[in-house]
Amino acid sequence: MKALVYEGVETLRIREVAKPEVGRDQSLVRILASGICGSDMHAYLGHDDRRPAPLILGHEAAGVVEGGIRDGERVTINPLVSCGVCTACAAGRQNLCPERMIISMPPREGAFAQYVVMHNDNLIPVPDAVTLEKAALAEPLSVSWHSARLGLAAWDRALGSSALVVGGGAIGLAAALALKAQGLEDVTITEPNDARRGFLTDQCGQQAVSSSGEQFAIVIDAVGYAATRAFASARCSPGGVIVHIGLGEDLGGLDVRRMTLQEITFIGTYAYTPQDFRDTCAAIFDGSLGALDWTEKRSLDAGPQAFADLRAGSVAAPKIILRPWDD
């Protein structure tokens, strides 16, 4: 099969590789849409030790099952696999399982390929009325759905009803959509890239600004750099909540003194639970998350250039979807 293989820092090539073998309680999925995630970019830039070369990246995917009892079924893939028996799994917080694995991390190859094998429990049926390009957004949307849910659970409504999302990429946009779908309407996105900010405003109907001097009851950092953490610390109102999704860099930025004196809650959040994933899929399917028409579609063969364009900051759309079967 054809695959886009990460071979080293800023090096991707199309290769012919062996089709994966189907194991017990698994299905072979013909991938028809696979999104480029920020974590794929981190690997591409050599910033992610969890994803060493050579490796097939990609974990935001949807396609059609080939063979087996689910043959022909249109599905979106929950790429996160947990042990199912540890304390975290028993508590319904499978995203914290110490044995968790995700496709695109060894030993599991990713979805920038024509086929992927996945556990049947991780395949969610997609209605015929929903395109597989939209269904492939389930994974990043679930990350943001989970983050919005945690932030809203910690939110004191008496102290304000506005939210700020730092970063207008796919996770940031998805966080804004998730907040609104879960009941908080006053959401602003900060995005420094002019082209992307214009896209968020004109194409996505979001309130997007280059920066903000106001304070907000909930601040979601969808970037995760020291500078964005410092910005989040300053922009969160007293008694507010900072939700941190981004994994840009490890250290720096938080104003811990101000957070202590103003009783600001900080929540680090990773991935999603299976219930979050199912709830997100339901919201995609019933239209609660909007038209989801903010992707740019390219062939898998154009993958190396897509990564280079993202690296250069020349892509306005929050998400590029690669299609492995396009010429």
Side-chain angles (χ1 to χ4, degrees):
M1 68 173 182
K2 182 166 64 176
L4 180 66
V5 181
Y6 166 60
E7 296 188 338
V9 177
E10 298 191 38
T11 304
L12 293 162
R13 288 188 175 86
I14 297 294
R15 299 291 192 199
E16 283 293 323
V17 302
K19 186 187 294 187
E21 295 184 4
V22 181
R24 183 179 178 182
D25 297 324
Q26 294 180 332
S27 289
L28 181 69
V29 182
R30 177 185 172 100
I31 299 298
L32 297 177
S34 188
I36 299 177
C37 176
S39 61
D40 297 317
M41 283 300 300
H42 292 158
Y44 172 73
L45 297 173
H47 297 166
D48 190 347
D49 293 339
R50 302 173 302 169
R51 292 178 167 91
L55 183 68
I56 302 172
L57 300 171
H59 57 271
E60 305 174 356
V64 178
V65 175
E66 285 197 4
I69 61 173
R70 301 181 68 169
D71 184 48
E73 189 171 349
R74 303 169 79 247
V75 296
T76 188
I77 296 173
N78 176 350
L80 191 65
V81 179
S82 62
C83 75
V85 297
C86 69
T87 300
C89 288
R93 301 185 69 178
Q94 294 89 338
N95 59 317
L96 303 182
C97 173
E99 303 299 324
R100 69 193 180 206
M101 293 189 296
I102 191 168
I103 60 173
S104 78
M105 289 186 188
R108 304 182 67 91
E109 298 283 5
F112 292 151
Q114 291 180 316
Y115 290 96
V116 160
V117 163
M118 198 66 209
H119 292 280
N120 286 318
D121 289 345
N122 288 65
L123 301 177
I124 306 297
V126 177
D128 289 341
V130 177
T131 68
L132 290 175
E133 285 81 10
K134 289 183 181 180
L137 294 173
E139 199 278 341
L141 287 167
S142 294
V143 170
S144 296
W145 184 277
H146 176 73
S147 300
R149 177 173 65 80
L150 294 181
L152 290 169
W155 169 43
D156 186 342
R157 295 168 184 260
L159 295 177
S161 58
S162 62
L164 178 69
V165 177
V166 183
I171 296 297
L173 172 57
L177 296 174
L179 285 168
K180 292 178 180 180
Q182 295 180 51
L184 198 160
E185 289 292 334
D186 186 0
V187 182
T188 300
I189 302 173
T190 58
E191 171 52 56
N193 183 291
D194 291 341
R196 178 160 289 175
R197 190 170 63 253
F199 189 97
L200 291 168
T201 301
D202 300 337
Q203 179 69 23
C204 305
Q206 300 299 308
Q207 180 174 321
V209 298
S210 59
S211 187
S212 177
E214 301 177 32
Q215 291 190 334
F216 300 81
I218 298 176
V219 180
I220 295 183
D221 183 353
V223 182
Y225 281 91
T228 58
R229 285 190 287 271
F231 184 71
S233 296
R235 297 280 70 81
C236 190
S237 60
V241 182
I242 297 172
V243 182
H244 193 272
I245 314 174
L247 291 170
E249 62 185 2
D250 295 343
L251 302 174
L254 284 179
D255 185 344
V256 177
R257 179 177 176 81
R258 178 174 188 271
M259 291 170 60
T260 301
L261 294 175
Q262 300 296 335
E263 291 194 352
I264 292 170
T265 299
F266 179 90
I267 302 174
T269 173
Y270 174 75
Y272 39 80
T273 68
Q275 187 61 54
D276 287 318
F277 199 92
R278 290 189 292 269
D279 290 344
T280 301
C281 287
I284 293 171
F285 301 159
D286 69 16
S288 297
L289 291 169
L292 303 179
D293 56 356
W294 33 265
T295 62
E296 179 181 325
K297 303 168 187 64
R298 303 191 189 186
S299 71
L300 188 68
D301 290 342
Q305 187 60 51
F307 273 80
D309 291 345
L310 288 167
R311 173 75 169 92
S314 61
V315 180
K319 178 66 65 178
I320 292 179
I321 299 286
L322 299 180
R323 300 197 287 200
W325 295 91
D326 286 2
D327 294 329

